[in-house]
């Protein structure tokens, strides 16, 4: 809709004293009579252009018309100049037109050069302002001699007009700030959030967009990028020479320049063997100095901490590049694809996963979607934004697909979002992000807010010190090594905690001796809640419902002789932790230990340090290591029960460790252990 300022000025008028052609296409246009011109002037506010309006310079006229256009819902551009036809006369006339004036010329197709198939916004709009230079009376000045304010298209609302390119500007101060942020290695999204906080504006209300920032950074790329690529390859080859278990793949373009490169470390491959069932492939970041898309594969270990699997740098963000990245990752991991993979909402990546990992369940990271909500919905919903967000989370966590779809429809009606394209897109992709559609697939708890923050914090370590491209491999190695050490410390702290049993049930004490403290705490929550449920045996299983409910409930199927139990809530399939409903049935059936298959290896008390997780061609050797790890876990559990026990254990282990370090490394051990050699 058109603003009130523009509402009175839908007519076209020109200065009758100007004898030149008035329209943009060099055809004559209708002129107003002097009476009509006077009427227009009498009803026009100073903020609206009018015939005879004076400006000291043509730039001043442009700024005035630009501000007027912004209030009305459009932008302008300089269109045509006339003059320079006499010595000393210079420029005598200028036209400023609506940004949608004119039509896009037809481009000549060139088979050898790719064409940009970009839709034009030009629609032949005739709105314009013409100014002419007057030197007859005193100093030279510019006067408005023509003004047309009739548009053949809809004008934008104030919250939309700011996104037009003419009004998306980055000041010199903001440019310096952005370049300073880029040197620290933070992502463009983080830059935007920081600057919003600094300027005290709502998310999405900066005078520029993420795309503008990316374009700015691209213009400041280092000129020696080709040399950087050569150094990066040299660095990877040196790492491979020092450590045969370091893995990297790369491609070159037609000019023999580095196109894509991916790499992984020996410790990462070892971690993936156990924790590679659920993977996050984060492609939302870039090496800002070089504007290269960065992909990072991350998982979660048995202590609930992020673990690094691999890294990739791409020249382009398209299906071909992502397919290559996924193939390289599978080569690193000996052809083993993850059960599930979480990614950003990227259609190119979605296509590549369907081709390269057809048996893997692909889902979208909910935290990456939610991060975009402020820019998508803040301006649209205003004060109702937080209320809408709470309803979104309620729907997201539902169990029933039917309840989700009915609730979504009610939410759209209640908040009036029928025409919102983001809402429509979210619903179209609901099977990829909403939990009711994903509960039968294993995600290792990575869909929770807590894990999302931990993974994001983990990834930021790789981006914290971007200096030279060749050094990035080493920066990642340092970050991974630091995280491994931190994980060992946190693992030790968890194991030293005195576990408190809450139910007294034999199943609880059994699980506490097998699972890591992190996994046990999740199971213990379900054990405590199980006491609030009643179970009823049916012909085809059990019905389990809360003791306060008279209807509904979950169906549990249990085959005691085969040690198989399953629940319609699918919590075990989703998280690897048995639900309260299944635990209630096991308790009712006098089961004193949880069946082994429901205490999965990935949540058990095995060593989480990749540097200590050894693979061996000999199954006997591996079994001995696992037995030893189990003994160590038991030692920690028993020692933590009292100060006296802990003092004795600490003293004796110190003595034992000193003796072990004095022993030479046997040949078999040398083959089994894959040390990581890095240039730090």
């Amino acid at each position: 809709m058109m603003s009130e300022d523009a509402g009175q000025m839908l007519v076209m008028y020109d200065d009758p004293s100007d004898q030149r052609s008035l329209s943009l296409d060099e055809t004559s246009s209708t002129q107003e009579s002097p009476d009509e011109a006077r009427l227009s002037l009498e009803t026009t506010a100073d903020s609206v252009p009018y015939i005879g309006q004076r400006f000291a310079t043509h730039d001043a006229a442009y700024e005035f018309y630009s501000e007027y256009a912004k209030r009305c819902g459009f932008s302008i551009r300089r269109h045509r100049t006339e003059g320079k036809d006499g010595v000393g006369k210079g420029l005598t006339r200028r036209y400023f037109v609506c940004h949608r004036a004119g039509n896009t010329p037809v481009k000549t197709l060139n088979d050898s050069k790719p064409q940009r198939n970009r839709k034009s916004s030009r629609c032949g709009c005739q709105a314009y302002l013409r100014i002419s230079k007057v030197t007859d009376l005193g100093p030279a000045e510019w006067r408005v001699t023509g003004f047309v304010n009739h548009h053949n298209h809809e004008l934008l609302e104030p919250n939309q007009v700011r996104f037009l390119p003419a009004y998306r500007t980055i000041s010199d101060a903001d440019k310096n700030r952005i370049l300073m942020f880029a040197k620290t290695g933070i992502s463009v999204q983080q830059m935007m959030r920081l600057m919003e906080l600094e300027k005290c504006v709502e998310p999405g209300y900066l005078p520029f967009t993420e795309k503008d920032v990316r374009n700015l950074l691209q213009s400041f790329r280092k000129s020696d990028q080709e040399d950087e690529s050569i150094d990066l390859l040299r660095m990877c080859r040196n790492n491979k020479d020092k450590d045969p278990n370091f893995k990297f793949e790369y491609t070159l373009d037609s000019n023999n320049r580095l196109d894509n490169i991916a790499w992984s470390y020996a410790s990462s491959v070892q971690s993936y063997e156990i924790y590679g069932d659920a993977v996050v492939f984060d492609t939302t970041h870039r090496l800002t100095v070089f504007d290269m898309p960065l992909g990072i594969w991350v998982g979660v270990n048995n202590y609930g901490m992020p673990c690094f699997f691999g890294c990739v740098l791409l020249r382009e963000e398209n299906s071909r590049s992502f397919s290559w990245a996924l193939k390289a990752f599978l080569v690193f991991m000996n052809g083993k694809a993850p059960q599930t993979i979480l990614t950003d909402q990227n259609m190119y990546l979605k296509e590549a996963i369907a081709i390269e990992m057809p048996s893997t369940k692909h889902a979208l990271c909910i935290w990456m979607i939610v991060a975009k909500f402020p820019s998508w919905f803040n301006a649209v919903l205003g004060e109702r934004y937080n209320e809408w967000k709470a309803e979104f989370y309620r729907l997201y966590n539902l169990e029933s697909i039917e309840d989700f779809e009915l609730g979504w429809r009610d939410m759209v009606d209640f908040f009036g979002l029928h025409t919102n394209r983001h809402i429509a897109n979210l619903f179209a992709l609901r099977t990829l992000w909403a939990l009711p559609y994903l509960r039968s697939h294993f995600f290792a708890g990575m869909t929770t807010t807590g894990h999302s923050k931990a993974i994001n914090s983990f990834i930021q370590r790789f981006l914290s010190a971007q200096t030279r491209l060749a050094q990035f491999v080493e920066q990642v190695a340092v970050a991974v090594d630091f995280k491994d050490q931190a994980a060992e410390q946190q693992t030790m702290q968890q194991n030293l905690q005195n576990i408190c049993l809450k139910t007294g049930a034999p199943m609880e004490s059994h699980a506490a001796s097998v699972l890591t403290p992190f996994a046990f705490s999740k199971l213990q929550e379900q054990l405590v809640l199980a006491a609030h449920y009643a179970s009823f045996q049916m012909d085809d299983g059990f019905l389990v419902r809360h003791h306060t409910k008279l209807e509904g409930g979950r169906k549990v199927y249990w085959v005691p002789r085969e040690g198989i139990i399953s629940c319609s809530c699918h919590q075990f399939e989703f998280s690897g932790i048995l639900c309260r409903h299944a635990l209630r049935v096991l308790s009712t059936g006098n089961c004193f230990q949880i069946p082994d298959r429901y205490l999965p290896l990935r949540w058990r008390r095995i060593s989480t340090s990749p540097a200590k997780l050894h693979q061996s061609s000999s199954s006997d050797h591996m079994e001995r290591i696992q037995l030893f790890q189990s003994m160590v876990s038991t030692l920690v559990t028993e020692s933590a029960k009292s100060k006296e026990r802990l003092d004795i254990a600490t003293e004796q282990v110190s003595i034992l460790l000193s003796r072990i370090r004095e022993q030479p490394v046997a040949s078999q051990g040398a083959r089994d252990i894959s040390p990581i050699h890095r240039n730090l």
Side-chain angles (χ1 to χ4, degrees):
M1 296 297 293
M2 203 168 298
S3 68
E4 293 181 2
D5 290 340
Q8 302 176 29
M9 305 302 294
L10 293 178
V11 296
M12 173 176 67
Y13 54 90
D14 291 272
D15 186 350
S17 64
D18 196 323
Q19 301 300 314
R20 300 176 69 95
S21 172
L22 304 176
S23 68
L24 297 178
D25 58 2
E26 298 298 342
T27 59
S28 62
S29 58
T30 305
Q31 295 182 355
E32 295 175 339
S33 66
D35 291 339
E36 290 172 330
R38 280 195 297 273
L39 178 62
S40 296
L41 290 172
E42 289 169 1
T43 59
T44 303
D46 289 343
S47 59
V48 180
Y50 58 88
I51 297 298
Q53 188 175 9
R54 297 178 175 87
F55 297 95
T57 65
H58 56 78
D59 287 334
Y62 177 84
E63 292 299 325
F64 174 85
Y65 189 33
S66 180
E67 286 297 319
Y68 169 74
K70 188 174 184 180
R71 292 195 304 272
C72 293
F74 68 101
S75 65
I76 64 170
R77 69 174 188 273
R78 293 177 173 87
H79 174 65
R80 194 175 69 204
T81 60
E82 296 176 355
K84 299 183 181 179
D85 53 354
V87 177
K89 288 194 174 184
L91 198 63
T92 60
R93 187 184 312 201
R94 299 208 70 154
Y95 285 87
F96 307 132
V97 300
C98 173
H99 72 287
R100 301 194 67 177
N103 294 288
T104 304
V106 179
K107 293 182 179 179
T108 304
L109 295 178
N110 187 343
D111 294 336
S112 63
K113 185 178 180 182
Q115 301 295 316
R116 298 181 69 183
N117 187 20
R118 192 168 59 179
K119 185 178 179 181
S120 173
S121 65
R122 298 192 181 188
C123 61
C125 181
Q126 291 290 313
Y128 75 93
L129 179 78
R130 183 182 65 220
I131 57 174
S132 300
K133 190 174 184 180
V134 178
T135 56
D136 298 339
L137 303 173
E141 63 180 12
W142 293 83
R143 292 183 186 175
V144 176
T145 58
F147 177 48
V148 174
N149 199 36
H150 179 69
H151 298 263
N152 64 351
H153 56 89
E154 289 188 5
L155 300 182
L156 301 177
E157 296 293 337
N159 66 334
Q160 297 172 320
V161 70
R162 61 193 176 88
F163 290 116
L164 291 174
Y167 304 123
R168 288 174 8 214
T169 56
I170 306 179
S171 66
D172 289 340
D174 287 340
K175 287 179 181 178
N176 292 333
R177 195 86 175 130
I178 288 167
L179 292 176
M180 190 262 300
F181 284 147
K183 291 178 181 178
T184 66
I186 67 174
S187 68
V188 173
Q189 281 184 334
Q190 289 175 314
M191 293 181 196
M192 299 291 285
R193 299 294 87 81
L194 283 172
M195 298 187 78
E196 286 165 354
L197 291 172
E198 290 176 349
K199 295 176 180 293
C200 298
V201 300
E202 292 291 326
Y205 276 82
L206 287 174
F208 47 85
T209 64
E210 287 187 17
K211 182 179 179 181
D212 299 324
V213 174
R214 294 192 194 284
N215 289 339
L216 174 68
L217 293 173
Q218 188 172 5
S219 67
F220 283 96
R221 277 188 186 180
K222 291 184 178 180
S223 59
D224 60 343
Q225 190 171 10
E226 188 171 344
D227 293 337
E228 286 280 324
S229 299
I230 295 172
D231 290 341
L232 176 60
L233 278 176
R234 185 181 298 117
M235 180 71 71
C236 286
R237 291 188 178 110
N238 288 341
N239 280 355
K240 185 70 174 178
D241 291 339
K242 295 176 182 178
D243 178 10
N245 293 307
F246 175 79
K247 298 176 181 289
F248 77 103
E249 296 282 343
Y250 66 94
T251 60
L252 303 176
D253 63 15
S254 56
N255 296 317
N256 209 35
R257 293 177 302 189
L258 183 65
D259 199 24
N260 306 309
I261 186 167
W263 67 94
S264 183
Y265 308 99
S267 61
S268 301
V269 177
Q270 293 166 356
S271 292
Y272 185 84
E273 273 298 309
I274 294 181
Y275 311 120
D277 41 16
V279 172
V280 172
F281 186 29
D282 188 338
T283 58
T284 60
H285 303 283
R286 286 174 175 256
L287 284 188
T288 48
V289 177
F290 301 95
D291 195 36
M292 293 181 72
L294 171 67
I296 300 175
W297 286 279
V298 183
V300 171
N301 69 13
N302 54 343
Y303 283 81
M305 289 174 284
C307 50
F308 175 85
F309 293 143
C311 207
V312 62
L313 283 171
L314 304 172
R315 182 62 57 192
E316 300 292 339
E317 197 170 344
N318 53 39
S319 297
R320 181 184 63 82
S321 295
F322 283 131
S323 288
W324 178 87
L326 295 172
K327 286 178 181 177
F329 181 71
L330 290 175
V331 169
F332 296 162
M333 303 307 165
N334 304 310
K336 179 183 176 183
Q339 295 177 27
T340 56
I341 187 168
L342 287 160
T343 73
D344 186 27
Q345 188 176 334
N346 186 309
M347 291 303 104
Y348 293 129
L349 184 53
K350 182 175 181 293
E351 292 173 6
I353 290 172
I355 296 171
E356 306 302 336
M357 297 180 175
S359 62
T360 298
K361 173 61 180 177
H362 177 214
L364 302 180
C365 291
I366 187 62
W367 67 84
M368 295 183 188
I369 294 175
V370 172
K372 300 172 185 175
F373 280 179
S375 59
W376 285 357
F377 301 116
N378 214 341
V380 175
L381 293 167
E383 294 179 353
R384 305 182 73 192
Y385 171 72
N386 288 332
E387 181 185 1
W388 170 84
K389 192 173 179 181
E391 176 63 10
F392 173 86
Y393 275 120
R394 187 188 73 82
L395 296 174
Y396 168 73
N397 284 293
L398 290 174
E399 289 186 6
S400 165
I401 291 176
E402 182 181 1
D403 290 345
F404 173 84
E405 296 191 349
L406 289 174
W408 188 272
R409 185 174 61 192
D410 292 341
M411 178 266 290
V412 171
D413 290 339
F414 185 75
F415 290 95
L417 296 171
H418 302 86
T419 60
N420 187 280
R421 63 185 179 91
H422 296 301
I423 286 291
N425 191 38
L426 281 172
F427 188 71
L429 296 172
R430 63 192 181 280
T431 59
L432 295 178
W433 60 264
L435 292 188
Y437 301 90
L438 301 175
R439 291 191 184 277
S440 59
H441 301 277
F442 181 72
F443 286 97
M446 291 193 294
T447 57
T448 63
T449 304
H451 274 306
S452 68
K453 290 180 180 179
I455 290 171
N456 280 331
S457 175
F458 183 43
I459 289 173
Q460 291 311 313
R461 287 196 171 276
F462 306 142
L463 308 172
S464 61
Q466 296 176 27
T467 51
R468 294 179 62 83
L469 184 61
Q471 295 172 348
F472 187 67
V473 174
E474 294 309 311
Q475 291 169 6
V476 173
V478 170
V480 171
D481 199 35
F482 178 88
K483 193 64 184 180
D484 286 347
Q485 294 175 25
E488 284 189 49
Q489 293 176 358
Q490 292 182 45
T491 298
M492 182 66 72
Q493 289 173 0
Q494 280 193 35
N495 286 330
L496 289 175
Q497 291 175 359
N498 192 12
I499 294 175
C500 178
L501 302 181
K502 297 180 179 180
T503 69
M507 279 192 297
E508 184 183 21
S509 57
H510 171 239
S513 67
V514 176
L515 299 178
T516 64
F518 168 79
F520 174 70
S521 68
K522 303 297 181 185
L523 181 69
Q524 190 179 52
E525 289 175 9
Q526 298 300 313
L527 278 166
V528 171
L529 291 170
H532 298 264
Y533 284 75
S535 64
F536 307 92
Q537 188 160 6
M538 315 290 284
D539 292 339
D540 57 347
F542 292 82
L543 178 66
V544 181
R545 68 160 78 97
H546 196 270
H547 73 96
T548 61
K549 305 291 184 182
L550 297 178
E551 56 184 24
R554 300 289 179 268
K555 291 294 294 291
V556 176
Y557 303 92
W558 183 32
V559 185
R561 284 177 298 181
E562 298 179 16
I564 296 175
I565 191 166
S566 64
C567 180
S568 59
C569 76
H570 297 295
Q571 177 170 304
F572 180 77
E573 291 83 354
F574 184 67
S575 65
I577 302 295
L578 273 182
C579 63
R580 64 199 76 171
H581 317 109
L583 291 169
R584 178 59 181 168
V585 171
L586 290 175
S587 177
T588 304
N590 298 323
C591 186
F592 300 111
Q593 284 193 354
I594 296 174
D596 273 358
R597 71 176 66 191
Y598 300 108
L599 297 173
L601 179 65
R602 69 122 46 240
W603 293 132
R604 294 194 181 198
R605 287 174 177 268
I606 60 171
S607 173
T608 59
S609 172
K612 297 178 182 177
L613 184 61
H614 312 316
Q615 291 179 323
S616 171
S617 57
S618 168
S619 59
D620 178 64
H621 185 71
M622 190 63 190
E623 287 175 5
R624 291 175 64 192
I625 291 177
Q626 289 180 338
L627 176 61
F628 179 65
Q629 289 168 343
S630 178
M631 292 171 63
V632 171
S633 296
T634 304
L635 173 65
V636 172
T637 302
E638 293 298 323
S639 301
K641 290 182 178 179
S642 72
K643 181 180 182 299
E644 291 75 18
R645 286 188 177 191
L646 187 59
D647 290 342
I648 294 172
T650 303
E651 179 183 355
Q652 294 300 317
V653 169
S654 297
I655 296 171
L656 178 61
L657 188 59
S658 298
R659 289 182 59 189
I660 289 173
R661 284 175 174 164
E662 293 173 358
Q663 300 300 312
V665 178
S667 58
Q668 182 178 354
R671 289 195 302 270
D672 294 329
I673 299 174
S674 301
I676 304 170
H677 302 288
R678 297 169 182 153
N679 293 325
L680 300 179

